[in-house]
Amino acid sequence: MHYFLVFYLSFFSCYSLFAQQRLAFNEDSLKNVLKSDASERKKISALQDLSDHWLYIDSAKSMGFAQDAFKRSVRLKEPLTLAIAHYYVAGVYMEHYNLSEARRAFEKAKALLETDTSHNAQRYLARVWHNIGAISQREDDTETFLRLLIEKACPILERIGDSLLLANNYYDIGNVFADIKQYDKAYSYFQRAALIFADHHEYADAVNSHLGIVKALLYQEDFSPANRERMQAHLNFAYKQLKDYPQAYPWTNYYVLAGMYQQYVEKNFDRALKNFNEGITFANQRQEAYNRIELLNRKYYLYFENQQYDKAKEMAYRVYNENKAFPLSRNKLISLRNLVNVEEAVGNKAKAFALLKEYLALADTVNEKQTNVKINLIEKKYEDAKKEKEIVSLKAENELNSAALKYNKTMLVFICIVLGCLLILLGLGYLLYRNKQRLAKQQCDLHEEQLQRMQKEQQIRFFNAMLQGQEQERKRLASDLHDGLGGLLSNVKLLLSKNPCVSPEPQAQEQHRIILNKLDVAVNELRRIARNMMPETLLRFGLVTALRDFCEDLERSGISISLQTYGFSLEDDKDRQIMVYRILQELINNAVRHAGANTILVQCIQNDGKVFITVEDDGCGFDTDDQQGKGVGLHNVKNRVAYLNGQLDIQSEKNVGTTINIEFNVNKAYIPTYR
């Protein structure tokens, strides 16, 4: 019975084109994509999905879709798209058993994909390596197939994290291990594939992985109750997944394994035969000639075991004749062996002997191929030994030359060391010279920097003394004007108002009243001048109050001034208050006297240690590029802003107005820059 089981794998394991299909397939939706205004890439993908679907049903139709996609890909002129198109055309060639054309197309795809590191390119590169290995398997080289799976395809899929395609490879590796009768390893790989597909039952290979477990358990020939239960559970799972998809290609695999289970485990001839016949009908509908051979072969073993030799003979000859289209010498050997057995069973000794001679001749040919491989290996060992002898003789000659070479090498090393030391000394001398020059330059730069710093410090002290002197002089003059001349004028007014010498005549009284009014104006003007020179409200109540009084005085003359303050907190720094007051005083006076402004906007804002000042007017404006047009007042403003280490921005346009923005940080020390 074990011989009958092994024959299964010899056929069905060669069904291994890497085509990841789903159980459900909507052909109409893909054809609608071709008719729509979808992008060319989507149409190419739809054509390739259609080719993949018809691959095992109608290879001619599959090739038509693949070639249409290839032509479109050539027009698109994209290497990755063209590589994938080569892949699908090669797949159809492979199912036509045109293995040379298939290999050529796969090699073209591989050459394009190996230079592309993208996820999709590497995914298709793994599929190409798989199918190149599958071609080797169909050429009786299963070892190369397994090597390419393990060394090429699987590492790529593990690196890019494509677990589903990796599961497909595990399934095929399981088939290879089953082929070489290592059923425990085959079972482990089928199980690993099934675990990955556990959440992806929509794929056909998810069903095949469970059927692979059934196959491994059957080949172990351990039909204990536990194993019988496992096999039945996996068969039931496969049937449950397939029942709603009557055209899904895993049905062939299911019919084979379900029939084998009935034949070898349940010993139910009728149910086994029913499964094999349904499988043949399904294979015929899908034009799966290779799979039909396997199902006919299973019927042969079923008839032979039940001693129905006439029917067994019919099946054996059908298998032998149909197998001629597939160049697998191992399968042909088994077909001949089956014919020998059935001819002998029906009593046809002569025919059995003739078939046995054909079987032995083919076996000798297969063995001769294996012998040639062994002879080539022996010849290679002989050539290697011969080369080794030549190496020994050359080694003796080389030893004679090595002494002279060693001496020359020693002298060369010594000379190189001396030259190296000289170069190092020259390099060190040059570096020392450069360092001295750099040090001298740094000292010179440091000296100049110290001089500049001393000059700036001197300027700061001079400017600070000048400002303090100006403010003290202003304060003294304001005090003298207010207390001296202001008091004197007030006394004169008091004396005149009480002067009894004034004539009672109306004209004299009018003159007396005019004189008193002029004295009032003079006193008020004197007080205004004194207040502008050093406003008492600035010293007593702070900057904001002083600015408000200054603006209110100007408003009485008919000028509209809007003062807006927010967050000011300079009350503890009288020097800065005076500096800001002088700046605003100068800017507002310029707007009134020189610009002829009717409306002035003054904004003073302090936020997070920064002060923002804006003075905007609707006066006549001036040309900011005209250096001669800038008076002393504006120059003083710039110096005061520089003293505060601030920034001054002037924007002015003739007949439009002027906007002046000032910004300084109250937390920075006074380090003015002068020009």
Side-chain angles (χ1 to χ4, degrees), residues 7 102 158 177 261 267 272 428 454 463 467 514 587 662 674:
F7 187 78
E158 288 171 355
F177 278 119
Y261 176 81
K267 306 295 183 181
L428 290 174
M454 291 174 62
F463 190 68
L467 291 177
I514 291 173
L587 293 177
I662 299 172
Y674 302 101

Side-chain angles (χ1 to χ4, degrees), residues 440-496:
K441 187 176 183 301
Q442 288 177 351
Q443 288 177 347
C444 182
D445 293 341
L446 181 61
H447 181 66
E448 288 184 5
E449 185 178 349
Q450 289 175 346
L451 288 176
Q452 290 178 359
R453 187 183 301 113
M454 291 174 62
Q455 289 176 354
K456 287 185 178 181
E457 289 176 354
Q458 186 176 3
Q459 287 179 341
I460 292 171
R461 287 194 295 270
F462 172 76
F463 190 68
N464 192 22
M466 181 184 70
L467 291 177
Q468 289 180 358
Q470 287 179 352
E471 294 302 328
Q472 288 176 0
E473 185 64 19
R474 286 172 180 268
K475 186 176 182 180
R476 186 187 66 78
L477 288 174
S479 178
D480 290 346
L481 288 173
H482 185 274
D483 298 338
L485 185 57
L488 182 60
L489 290 174
S490 296
N491 288 333
V492 171
K493 178 185 175 183
L494 182 62
L495 291 173
L496 287 174

Side-chain angles (χ1 to χ4, degrees), residues 150 215 527 555 672:
I150 294 175
K215 176 167 49 178
R527 288 177 179 173
E555 281 188 317

Side-chain angles (χ1 to χ4, degrees), residues 158-174:
E158 288 171 355
R159 186 176 68 251
I160 65 175
D162 195 323
S163 59
L164 293 180
L165 288 183
L166 186 62
N168 288 118
N169 280 273
Y170 286 159
Y171 173 75
D172 287 327
I173 293 172

Side-chain angles (χ1 to χ4, degrees), residues 62-233:
S62 178
M63 177 60 84
F65 287 124
Q67 289 180 338
D68 189 1
F70 181 81
K71 292 176 183 177
R72 292 171 183 259
S73 300
V74 170
R75 291 196 297 268
L76 208 56
K77 296 180 180 180
E78 293 179 353
L80 177 56
T81 306
L82 185 60
I84 296 172
H86 278 300
Y87 168 85
Y88 280 97
V89 171
V92 184
Y93 277 130
M94 187 172 169
E95 288 312 302
H96 279 168
Y97 251 82
N98 190 343
L99 300 184
S100 60
E101 286 296 327
R103 186 183 292 276
R104 189 176 296 110
F106 279 133
E107 289 294 337
K108 290 180 181 178
K110 181 165 72 72
L112 292 169
L113 293 170
E114 284 178 329
T115 59
D116 191 338
T117 59
S118 66
H119 180 277
N120 199 32
Q122 292 296 300
R123 186 172 182 267
Y124 271 96
L125 180 61
R127 298 174 75 173
V128 167
W129 277 119
H130 173 283
N131 290 347
I132 290 175
I135 292 174
S136 298
Q137 184 200 33
R138 295 188 179 190
E139 294 171 343
D140 285 338
D141 188 1
T142 302
E143 180 183 352
T144 298
F145 181 39
L146 182 60
R147 180 175 58 80
L148 292 179
L149 286 178
I150 294 175
E151 296 179 2
K152 295 292 185 180
C154 287
I156 293 174
L157 295 172
E158 288 171 355
R159 186 176 68 251
I160 65 175
D162 195 323
S163 59
L164 293 180
L165 288 183
L166 186 62
N168 288 118
N169 280 273
Y170 286 159
Y171 173 75
D172 287 327
I173 293 172
N175 277 327
V176 174
F177 278 119
D179 190 22
I180 60 177
K181 303 179 183 180
Q182 295 188 26
Y183 304 124
D184 290 338
K185 286 187 178 180
Y187 180 85
S188 68
Y189 275 97
F190 289 141
Q191 195 170 43
R192 288 165 70 178
L195 287 174
I196 294 175
F197 279 121
D199 296 326
H200 302 279
H201 294 160
E202 70 274 15
Y203 287 100
D205 284 323
V207 177
N208 278 336
S209 62
H210 286 269
L211 294 174
I213 293 173
V214 176
K215 176 167 49 178
L217 292 172
L218 279 170
Y219 286 178
Q220 290 175 5
E221 297 188 60
D222 177 9
F223 302 147
S224 62
N227 276 351
R228 291 164 65 106
E229 186 176 348
R230 289 192 190 97
M231 286 186 279
Q232 188 61 54

Side-chain angles (χ1 to χ4, degrees), residues 433-673:
Y433 172 73
R434 288 289 303 275
N435 286 335
K436 285 183 178 179
Q437 282 189 327
R438 190 181 296 111
L439 182 60
K441 187 176 183 301
Q442 288 177 351
Q443 288 177 347
C444 182
D445 293 341
L446 181 61
H447 181 66
E448 288 184 5
E449 185 178 349
Q450 289 175 346
L451 288 176
Q452 290 178 359
R453 187 183 301 113
M454 291 174 62
Q455 289 176 354
K456 287 185 178 181
E457 289 176 354
Q458 186 176 3
Q459 287 179 341
I460 292 171
R461 287 194 295 270
F462 172 76
F463 190 68
N464 192 22
M466 181 184 70
L467 291 177
Q468 289 180 358
Q470 287 179 352
E471 294 302 328
Q472 288 176 0
E473 185 64 19
R474 286 172 180 268
K475 186 176 182 180
R476 186 187 66 78
L477 288 174
S479 178
D480 290 346
L481 288 173
H482 185 274
D483 298 338
L485 185 57
L488 182 60
L489 290 174
S490 296
N491 288 333
V492 171
K493 178 185 175 183
L494 182 62
L495 291 173
L496 287 174
S497 63
K498 295 181 179 181
N499 186 3
C501 299
V502 178
S503 173
E505 294 180 5
Q507 185 176 0
Q509 290 292 331
E510 180 63 23
Q511 289 292 331
H512 186 267
R513 187 182 61 78
I514 291 173
I515 292 171
L516 290 178
N517 287 339
K518 288 186 178 292
L519 283 173
D520 284 336
V521 172
V523 170
N524 289 334
E525 182 65 18
L526 182 64
R527 288 177 179 173
R528 186 187 66 77
I529 293 171
R531 186 166 57 251
N532 287 340
M533 295 183 71
M534 183 54 65
E536 184 179 358
T537 52
L538 177 64
L539 300 176
R540 295 180 62 186
F541 303 108
L543 176 61
V544 175
T545 304
L547 288 173
R548 188 173 290 111
D549 288 349
F550 177 71
C551 292
E552 287 176 356
D553 285 343
L554 286 177
E555 281 188 317
R556 294 189 185 98
S557 63
I559 298 172
S560 175
I561 300 179
S562 175
L563 174 65
Q564 301 174 1
T565 61
Y566 177 77
F568 251 46
S569 59
L570 298 177
E571 285 76 7
D572 296 334
D573 192 344
K574 293 297 182 183
D575 290 338
R576 274 202 180 95
Q577 288 189 59
I578 293 172
M579 196 68 65
V580 172
Y581 181 83
R582 294 302 179 199
I583 290 171
L584 288 171
Q585 185 182 42
E586 187 66 42
L587 293 177
I588 294 171
N589 285 333
N590 283 347
V592 173
R593 296 173 184 172
H594 304 299
N598 294 319
T599 303
I600 302 174
L601 171 65
V602 181
Q603 290 182 332
C604 300
I605 300 172
Q606 183 174 344
N607 184 24
D608 293 334
K610 281 193 174 183
V611 174
F612 304 92
I613 297 173
T614 299
V615 178
E616 184 177 347
D617 65 70
D618 60 353
C620 62
F622 63 94
D623 186 0
T624 56
D625 295 329
D626 184 7
Q627 297 294 330
Q628 294 181 354
K630 297 178 181 178
V632 177
L634 190 57
H635 182 71
N636 289 337
V637 170
K638 287 187 175 182
N639 284 337
R640 293 179 188 276
V641 172
Y643 181 80
L644 294 172
N645 198 21
Q647 296 177 354
L648 174 67
D649 177 56
I650 301 175
Q651 297 178 5
S652 181
E653 186 176 350
K654 287 188 175 182
N655 301 321
V656 175
T658 302
T659 300
I660 298 177
N661 296 303
I662 299 172
E663 178 184 342
F664 65 90
N665 194 335
V666 297
N667 296 323
K668 284 190 177 180
Y670 298 179
I671 307 176
T673 56

